[in-house]
Amino acid sequence: MRIIAFNGSPRKGGNTQLLLEEAVRGAKEQGAEVTVYNLNTLNVRACQNCGGCDDTGRCVIQDDMQAIHAAIRSADRIIVASPIFFFTVSAQTKIMIDRCQAFWSEKYVHKKPVPPGPFGRRGLLILVGGMKRDAKNDGFKCAEAVARAFFRTVNVQEHVTLEYGSVEKKGEIRENPAALNEAYEAGKKLAEI
Ligand SMILES: Cc1cc2nc3c(=O)[nH]c(=O)nc-3n(C[C@H](O)[C@H](O)[C@H](O)COP(=O)(O)O)c2cc1C
């Protein structure tokens, strides 16, 4: 069982990282092989809408996204973890997602979705934001819509979402052990066959 995980937060030791680490710990305990991509440290250029992927379904920009594309193709499970920045996922996360336009072409233009693999493809979305999850809840709703579009484009047919609001300061999520445990359990469950 191969799992790839995207950490979309630039803050080292921040809330996203802490939650993701718990999910990864759970998945590894279940026997999965997990690779984490810290998006902020990678060289990934924003999509140029150059049309380079239109004919082939493959992105022509040569940077770290090429390795991520290969990892997405061979993954059985995908985790996206992001802070809410200005009512959606972080820019680091969004840049990676936009570069998956190549998968969009491949799936919807060339009718060649990423094969489901031996276990079926499932996802986990972890979101953390400083604002209260009030009645409108727009930040989480926008991020959920972006992540859902990503997951379906790379042929992840279903995903579970964990949302944590009112978590502002670095590492503040430690004050919520139930949240960390929930992420651990979700990681474990994600790695189930
Ligand atoms: C540029 C920026 C924009 C933010 N925008 C929002 C927002 O729209 N909604 C929200 O709930 N929190 C927002 N926050 C707060 C972060 O989501 C919050 O601090 C979160 O815990 C950061 O996670 P991290 O520690 O993993 O980086 C913003 C923070 C920054 C730096």
Side-chain angles (χ1 to χ4, degrees), residues 114-179:
V114 177
F119 311 112
R121 283 159 75 84
R122 292 198 279 120
L124 172 64
L125 174 64
I126 302 173
L127 299 171
V128 57
M131 287 164 69
K132 266 194 223 148
R133 291 179 60 228
D134 61 8
K136 280 183 81 188
N137 202 11
D138 285 341
F140 290 100
K141 276 192 210 156
C142 291
E144 170 69 33
V146 169
R148 186 186 305 113
F150 162 71
F151 278 137
R152 301 304 175 264
T153 296
V154 298
N155 219 22
V156 166
Q157 295 300 344
E158 53 181 277
H159 69 274
V160 166
T161 302
L162 304 179
E163 295 175 357
Y164 303 100
S166 308
V167 188
E168 182 74 55
K169 293 189 213 91
K170 181 173 168 175
E172 197 180 336
I173 197 71
R174 286 187 208 277
E175 292 164 24
N176 187 350

Side-chain angles (χ1 to χ4, degrees), residues 48-61:
Q48 302 297 299
N49 197 8
C50 63
C53 63
D54 289 353
D55 292 340
T56 60
R58 300 289 164 135
C59 183
V60 297
I61 302 174

Side-chain angles (χ1 to χ4, degrees), residues 1-174:
M1 168 77 58
R2 267 182 296 215
I3 299 185
I4 57 170
F6 296 108
N7 174 10
S9 172
R11 188 151 73 170
K12 278 191 192 160
N15 301 307
T16 308
Q17 184 187 321
L18 292 170
L19 286 161
L20 181 57
E21 279 171 359
E22 285 306 295
V24 168
R25 190 167 69 83
K28 283 186 174 167
E29 275 183 24
Q30 194 70 24
E33 176 197 310
V34 188
T35 306
V36 177
Y37 293 91
N38 291 304
L39 294 172
N40 194 52
T41 66
L42 300 181
N43 172 30
V44 179
R45 197 166 175 223
C47 175
Q48 302 297 299
N49 197 8
C50 63
C53 63
D54 289 353
D55 292 340
T56 60
R58 300 289 164 135
C59 183
V60 297
I61 302 174
Q62 296 301 318
D63 61 13
D64 290 343
M65 197 65 201
Q66 293 294 337
I68 293 178
H69 276 153
I72 288 174
R73 281 182 202 289
S74 61
D76 300 301
R77 305 282 188 264
I78 300 180
I79 306 176
V80 174
S82 177
I84 304 290
F85 280 2
F86 277 86
F87 283 69
T88 189
V89 295
S90 67
Q92 290 84 347
T93 309
K94 186 63 165 53
I95 285 173
M96 183 281 290
I97 288 175
D98 286 356
R99 286 288 298 284
C100 290
Q101 178 65 8
F103 286 101
W104 189 93
S105 286
E106 204 177 40
K107 180 175 180 183
Y108 296 108
V109 179
H110 301 283
K111 312 290 182 210
K112 282 191 210 151
V114 177
F119 311 112
R121 283 159 75 84
R122 292 198 279 120
L124 172 64
L125 174 64
I126 302 173
L127 299 171
V128 57
M131 287 164 69
K132 266 194 223 148
R133 291 179 60 228
D134 61 8
K136 280 183 81 188
N137 202 11
D138 285 341
F140 290 100
K141 276 192 210 156
C142 291
E144 170 69 33
V146 169
R148 186 186 305 113
F150 162 71
F151 278 137
R152 301 304 175 264
T153 296
V154 298
N155 219 22
V156 166
Q157 295 300 344
E158 53 181 277
H159 69 274
V160 166
T161 302
L162 304 179
E163 295 175 357
Y164 303 100
S166 308
V167 188
E168 182 74 55
K169 293 189 213 91
K170 181 173 168 175
E172 197 180 336
I173 197 71
R174 286 187 208 277

